Amino acid sequence: MSENQQKEYWRWKEYNWKNPEIPDWKGGLVTAGVDVGSTSSQAVICVDGQLYAYASMRTGSDSPSSALNAINWAMEGTGLTLQDINFTVGTGYGRVNVPFANKAVTEIACHARGANFMYGPSVRTLLDMGGQDCKAIHCDDKGKVTSFLMNDKCAAGTGRGMEVFANLLAVSIEDVGDMSFNVETEPDPVSSTCVVFAKTEATGLLRAGWSKEKVLAAYCSAMASRVVSLLERNGMELDFAITGGIAKNPGVVKRIEKLLGVQALTPKYDTQIAGALGGALFAKALVEKSAKVAK
Amino acid sequence: MIANYGYKDGSGEFYISIDTDKCTTCSEKGCLESCPGQIFEMMVDDWDDEVAAVKASERNKIKMTCAACKPTTGRPELLPCQAACKPRGITHSW
């Protein structure tokens, strides 16, 4: 097998982070959100509602292990143990399989809450572009969902679709967005209703002499038009923000902005952690609610 | 909250929208029994309210399941699920 065939171009970087502005968690209310998605898992730890640490990694075949690996990596170097976390919310595709979670909350509610924290209370329309689904969400100034629409029928418009194209074209997933702008004229989009058909179409275009950049531009454009139709069905209201892994792909984000004629808000944090962050904030609210009831 | 369940594919857009705020005032839950395809269920949402939802196993095939209630001619003004929903919280996009 050649080196090219062995390389997995779809693999994105896994990482963890600790907030240097919060030196110690002791004495604070420690809450966690664990988002076990179809493709990636994130764990976020908040201290008194402030982002303290997080980790983002690929989801394995076993959701409970993925959740545990993510929270352990987020706690690395903090001195925290699972027993020190006051309340944990599990969210995402595998939310019911987070063994140490106190409650499961849907990723739709968690993304809205997380986006409210990340982008501010002006966010009204949110697009979450996940690994295997895509959601258009409306929320109020407190991050509470007022309407949502989800598409998980096929991989078109999802991170997995982009991974398929990165592998097909032997382009690192992190370079796809920038490369897609290296075209003289914007090509027509490829099929936006099915990744399998889009891949077949792309193979034909490569054979017809299209450059990798042009094919990527056609696919980014297809993905943008696909998710814009979701947003339009749910209704657009400003401000607009994007979460999930695809929010890091400027090739898709810029094309969505162009089609909608609006600018997405600039994220203050990693867009992939929005769901887990929302979970940690939900956890804080739930602890405070139960404390009020106890009084 | 307006919850949209369904999908878009090459043949069109198929969404059932449920205004879940209306479910909290509904005691009859008529949608559960009225649907011949039994696609509705009650669930506790993230704010601990009991609301109607389309079953996860049904969400990606509602075009086929709902076809039985949508004849090409003589379609009733209200579908069985819509007629049974007293607060009028259910709409279909197609």
Side-chain angles (χ1 to χ4, degrees):
Chain A
M1 194 181 275
S2 74
E3 196 179 314
N4 266 0
Q5 283 170 311
Q6 283 175 342
K7 190 166 177 189
E8 291 171 309
Y9 293 93
W10 59 269
R11 279 194 180 269
W12 39 269
K13 283 194 188 86
E14 299 175 304
Y15 49 85
N16 67 347
W17 176 87
K18 183 179 168 295
N19 189 348
E21 290 171 14
I22 304 178
D24 196 9
W25 52 268
K26 289 189 180 102
L29 174 61
V30 183
T31 57
V34 180
D35 180 357
V36 182
S38 57
T39 306
S40 69
S41 295
Q42 286 81 26
V44 166
I45 300 166
C46 285
V47 176
D48 292 328
Q50 292 305 307
L51 184 57
Y52 176 60
Y54 66 78
S56 177
M57 61 203 309
R58 281 182 292 280
T59 300
S61 55
D62 175 12
S63 292
S65 301
S66 299
L68 204 55
N69 290 341
I71 194 77
N72 282 338
W73 205 21
M75 291 191 299
E76 195 178 88
T78 64
L80 275 166
T81 64
L82 278 179
Q83 286 70 37
D84 297 317
I85 299 174
N86 298 91
F87 201 98
T88 302
V89 162
T91 187
Y93 186 73
R95 62 184 173 273
V96 293
N97 293 318
V98 179
F100 49 90
N102 302 94
K103 188 178 168 75
V105 176
T106 64
E107 65 270 33
I108 294 164
C110 285
H111 269 273
R113 183 68 75 95
N116 180 272
F117 183 95
M118 287 170 77
Y119 294 97
S122 64
V123 176
R124 289 293 173 278
T125 304
L126 180 65
L127 175 65
D128 168 36
M129 298 183 74
Q132 286 183 19
D133 66 27
C134 183
K135 305 169 202 80
I137 302 167
H138 270 185
C139 59
D140 65 16
D141 60 346
K142 292 184 176 61
K144 186 175 176 185
V145 178
T146 52
S147 75
F148 75 87
L149 187 152
M150 182 165 104
N151 193 10
D152 61 357
K153 178 134 172 138
C154 73
T158 69
R160 183 64 198 136
M162 194 53 85
E163 289 176 359
V164 166
F165 265 70
N167 258 5
L168 171 73
L169 300 170
V171 172
S172 167
I173 190 89
E174 282 147 4
D175 299 332
V176 163
D178 290 330
M179 268 183 77
S180 74
F181 292 120
N182 294 333
V183 288
E184 282 178 19
T185 53
E186 184 77 6
D188 287 335
V190 291
S191 166
S192 66
T193 51
C194 174
V195 169
V196 177
F197 291 154
K199 190 179 169 188
T200 308
E201 206 179 327
T203 311
L205 293 171
L206 287 169
R207 230 179 274 131
W210 280 37
S211 65
K212 285 182 180 181
E213 288 84 353
K214 200 171 172 184
V215 172
L216 285 175
Y219 186 64
C220 287
S221 186
M223 194 178 237
S225 64
R226 169 83 181 188
V227 297
V228 162
S229 71
L230 274 188
L231 285 166
E232 285 173 342
R233 163 147 289 284
N234 202 36
M236 267 298 291
E237 195 184 333
L238 295 178
D239 287 343
F240 167 61
I242 309 177
T243 59
I246 296 284
K248 297 177 189 173
N249 180 327
V252 177
V253 172
K254 295 286 173 208
R255 286 176 175 92
I256 291 171
E257 289 177 338
K258 193 176 169 193
L259 286 171
L260 289 172
V262 301
Q263 189 110 23
L265 294 174
T266 310
K268 289 183 218 158
Y269 306 100
D270 186 325
T271 53
Q272 250 179 309
I273 65 161
L277 174 59
L281 297 171
F282 254 108
K284 178 178 179 278
L286 288 164
V287 170
E288 289 170 347
K289 192 177 165 187
S290 60
K292 264 185 200 168
V293 171
K295 278 180 190 174
Chain B
M1 180 174 76
I2 308 294
N4 294 286
Y5 298 103
Y7 57 92
K8 174 187 175 181
D9 66 11
S11 62
E13 291 187 10
F14 309 96
Y15 289 100
I16 292 176
S17 305
I18 302 175
D19 185 344
T20 58
D21 291 339
K22 292 183 175 171
C23 297
T24 57
T25 62
C26 175
S27 56
E28 290 181 31
K29 319 290 184 203
C31 56
L32 298 180
E33 295 303 318
S34 67
C35 173
Q38 296 286 293
I39 69 166
F40 295 100
E41 65 179 353
M42 298 308 290
M43 60 172 264
V44 177
D45 72 4
D46 296 320
W47 294 272
D48 296 331
D49 291 321
E50 195 183 33
V51 300
V54 175
K55 290 176 187 169
S57 58
E58 295 289 338
R59 289 173 195 169
N60 285 340
K61 54 182 185 182
I62 55 173
K63 175 188 170 186
M64 271 70 81
T65 312
C66 296
C69 294
K70 299 185 177 201
T72 47
T73 56
R75 181 170 159 167
E77 196 180 327
L78 290 174
L79 297 166
C81 58
Q82 293 173 315
C85 175
K86 293 285 181 270
R88 295 285 178 264
I90 298 174
T91 52
H92 288 231
S93 70
W94 78 109

